[in-house]
């Protein structure tokens, strides 16, 4: 078979293979690497992988792109399984408040935080949101991210939530990066419902959520279950109805206070619980019992400035599968760079580079329901492959804060070369 792309001589090839279920415990670090590896691509699919010599049936011709990855490391395209991609404005003015010691929840209570981004997002046109999100998506792709989960939650009414979800859909259709949309109308209580929390929740359940799922604008539903935001009872009500409507479930759980979000994620059988900085042992056990993936976001811990990180080692030791993601958003984590997040996962949560690669690829794919298609380098999967200019996978988190991507192949097309975006339209 004549192939379209052949990547050969990779000093390391991280396959991260595994589509059946997320890797957990020791599986997060074992058996993910091939030394001196090669990958063959035809059309949008991976058609061969191996070590050292390339068998005769993998043929090259004049049109085959041959990539000599000598001294480089090849990994699956990163899956950023938790972002708030589409929003208006930015919140750099909160930095000084934070340095003075004003807490995240206090800023939110004063009408800042998420609510100030809601004002900016409502004021922005669909085109403006599209251009801003497209720039972020370009940055993500340049850093090796080929699949992104994008949550709504800065519109907080029917029209503005739909506006943001349509932007995500348009980007999914026109940009090489694949986008998985999550509805997160339960991100904050909007100002107009300040004195009528129950009214907002009923509005979400009765008007917004049915419309969003009917329009096929989101696959998952997420709730910010947090002290002063949505209580466990309120979150349970929203998630229960979401399940009936056909959404997969996600929970922003125990990000700041231990309110029982992890327990709730376990109880409702969510696909994932995210953040988990303050999760209890019982909550983690309930997640494990119900196969909930822990999506950890160390960039948010770093930027929230409280010194508190999720207990990744305990979670790995007890056999919970972990994903690692950016949480890209204008407040608690304004960065698109998943490589920086992977360094923080190592340095701040004591995850090994092998565990981190697994968490940012195949386990992230499981967390967004795409593990059959992407997240690992396996024959038959989509050819989402990144060539890193590093001699081994330890080098990437070690040499932190810079972009190590040399090339990105998305669905069999070279879309980044020598750190530059190629024209893809
Ligand atoms: O995941 N926690 C809730 N949502 C985001 C922050 C959103 C914001 O501050 O704008 C998060 O941290
Ligand atoms: Fe988030």
């Amino acid at each position: 078979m004549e192939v379209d792309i052949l990547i050969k001589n990779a000093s390391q090839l991280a396959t991260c293979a595994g589509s059946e279920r997320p890797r957990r415990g020791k599986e997060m670090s074992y058996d993910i690497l091939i030394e001196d590896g090669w990958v063959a691509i035809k059309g949008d699919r991976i058609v061969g992988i191996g070590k050292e010599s390339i068998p005769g049936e993998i043929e090259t011709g004049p049109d085959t792109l041959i990539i000599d990855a000598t001294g480089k490391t090849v990994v699956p395209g990163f899956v950023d399984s938790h972002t708030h991609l589409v929003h208006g404005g930015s919140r750099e003015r909160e930095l000084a408040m934070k340095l003075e010691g004003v807490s995240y929840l206090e800023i939110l209570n004063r009408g800042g935080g998420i609510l100030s981004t809601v004002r900016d997002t409502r004021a922005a046109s669909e085109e403006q949101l599209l251009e801003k999100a497209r720039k972020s998506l370009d940055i993500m792709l340049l850093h090796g991210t080929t699949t992104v989960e994008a949550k709504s939650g800065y519109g907080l009414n029917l029209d503005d939530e739909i506006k943001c979800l349509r932007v995500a859909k348009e980007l999914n259709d026109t940009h090489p990066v694949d986008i998985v949309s999550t509805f997160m109308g339960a991100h904050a209580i909007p100002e107009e419902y300040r004195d009528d929390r129950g009214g907002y929740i009923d509005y979400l359940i009765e008007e917004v959520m049915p419309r969003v799922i009917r329009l096929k604008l989101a696959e998952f539903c997420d709730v910010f279950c947090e002290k002063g935001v949505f209580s466990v009872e309120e979150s349970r009500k929203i998630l229960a109805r979401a399940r009936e409507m056909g959404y997969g479930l996600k929970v922003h759980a125990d990000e700041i206070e231990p309110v029982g979000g992890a327990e709730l994620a376990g109880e409702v059988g969510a696909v994932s619980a995210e953040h988990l900085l303050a999760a209890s042992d019982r909550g983690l056990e309930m997640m494990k019992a119900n196969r909930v993936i822990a999506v950890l976001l160390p960039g948010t811990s770093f930027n929230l400035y409280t010194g508190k990180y999720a207990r990744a080692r305990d979670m790995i030791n007890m056999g919970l599968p972990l994903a690692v993601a950016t949480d890209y958003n204008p407040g608690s984590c304004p960065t698109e760079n998943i490589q920086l997040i992977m360094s923080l996962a190592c340095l701040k949560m004591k995850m090994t580079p092998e565990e981190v690669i697994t968490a940012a690829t195949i386990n992230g794919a499981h967390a967004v329901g795409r593990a059959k298609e992407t997240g690992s380098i396996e024959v038959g999967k989509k050819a989402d492959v990144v060539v890193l200019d590093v001699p081994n996978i330890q080098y990437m988190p070690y040499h932190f804060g810079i972009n190590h991507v040399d090339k990105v192949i998305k669905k069999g097309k070279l879309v980044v070369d020598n750190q530059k975006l190629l024209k893809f339209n």
Side-chain angles (χ1 to χ4, degrees), residues 82 84 91 104 114 117 154 187 224 252 255 275 300 327 329-332:
H82 179 143
H84 303 255
R91 308 227 295 271
Y104 179 81
I114 294 173
T117 300
Y154 292 112
H187 196 197
F224 190 10
H252 273 60
E255 176 177 354
H275 289 288
T300 307
D327 195 18
N329 73 72
S332 67

Side-chain angles (χ1 to χ4, degrees), residues 70-350:
T70 301
K72 297 186 174 142
T73 296
V74 175
V75 297
F78 300 129
V79 179
D80 193 346
S81 54
H82 179 143
T83 85
H84 303 255
L85 176 70
V86 182
H87 57 262
S90 59
R91 308 227 295 271
E92 61 277 20
R93 59 197 173 277
E94 286 173 16
L95 180 57
M97 289 164 86
K98 190 166 71 179
L99 299 180
E100 281 163 18
V102 186
S103 75
Y104 179 81
L105 290 178
E106 179 56 27
I107 294 173
L108 180 61
N109 283 337
R110 291 184 195 175
I114 294 173
L115 293 176
S116 76
T117 300
V118 170
R119 289 190 286 277
D120 291 341
T121 304
R122 287 178 175 178
S125 68
E126 200 161 319
E127 290 66 38
Q128 288 168 328
L129 293 173
L130 189 71
E131 278 328 296
K132 180 171 162 63
R134 193 193 300 280
K135 269 192 198 160
S136 284
L137 213 51
D138 286 349
I139 297 171
M140 289 176 176
L141 182 59
L142 282 165
H143 287 83
T145 298
T146 52
T147 303
V148 168
E149 187 253 17
K151 301 174 195 292
S152 71
Y154 292 112
L156 307 189
N157 61 38
L158 182 66
D159 289 350
D160 289 303
E161 284 293 301
I162 285 183
K163 176 174 75 175
C164 294
L165 289 164
R166 281 165 48 109
V167 167
K169 184 173 186 314
E170 168 77 15
L171 288 170
N172 182 52
D173 294 344
T174 57
H175 194 281
V177 172
D178 284 319
I179 298 182
V180 179
S181 282
T182 295
F183 173 71
M184 200 174 176
H187 196 197
I189 300 280
E191 269 150 2
E192 61 275 20
Y193 277 97
R194 171 172 276 188
D195 302 318
D196 185 15
R197 308 176 56 82
Y200 182 61
I201 293 167
D202 289 343
Y203 167 68
L204 286 181
I205 289 173
E206 284 158 24
E207 294 186 44
V208 190
M209 286 159 52
R211 182 77 80 86
V212 166
I213 198 103
R214 205 174 320 123
L215 293 171
K216 295 196 171 65
L217 284 172
E219 289 174 46
F220 293 96
C221 179
D222 195 344
V223 178
F224 190 10
C225 180
E226 185 64 58
K227 191 174 164 204
V229 192
F230 290 91
S231 69
V232 170
E233 293 68 35
E234 290 167 341
S235 304
R236 181 185 287 119
K237 180 172 173 183
I238 295 164
L239 293 169
R241 293 303 304 278
R243 144 131 331 127
E244 287 165 15
M245 292 179 211
Y247 288 95
L249 307 183
K250 292 177 170 285
V251 189
H252 273 60
D254 304 320
E255 176 177 354
I256 299 164
E257 301 282 342
V259 295
E263 286 86 339
L264 178 66
E267 177 195 316
V268 300
V271 177
S272 59
E274 336 233 324
H275 289 288
L276 301 168
L277 274 62
S280 71
D281 288 344
R282 181 166 170 270
L284 299 180
E285 287 297 346
M286 286 178 69
M287 283 174 54
K288 186 180 169 196
N290 280 311
R291 299 165 183 271
V292 183
I293 299 171
V295 178
L296 304 188
L297 309 159
T300 307
S301 295
F302 177 70
N303 190 60
L304 280 178
Y305 213 50
T306 59
K308 198 161 180 186
Y309 286 79
R311 297 182 283 145
R313 286 259 56 89
D314 289 348
M315 295 180 195
I316 291 172
N317 289 341
M318 67 183 278
L320 264 181
L322 304 194
V324 163
T326 59
D327 195 18
Y328 167 65
N329 73 72
S332 67
C333 197
T335 183
E336 296 92 341
N337 180 354
I338 198 163
Q339 294 172 54
L340 173 61
I341 302 304
M342 291 160 84
S343 292
L344 292 173
C346 287
L347 296 170
K348 297 290 194 179
M349 301 197 303
K350 301 195 171 79

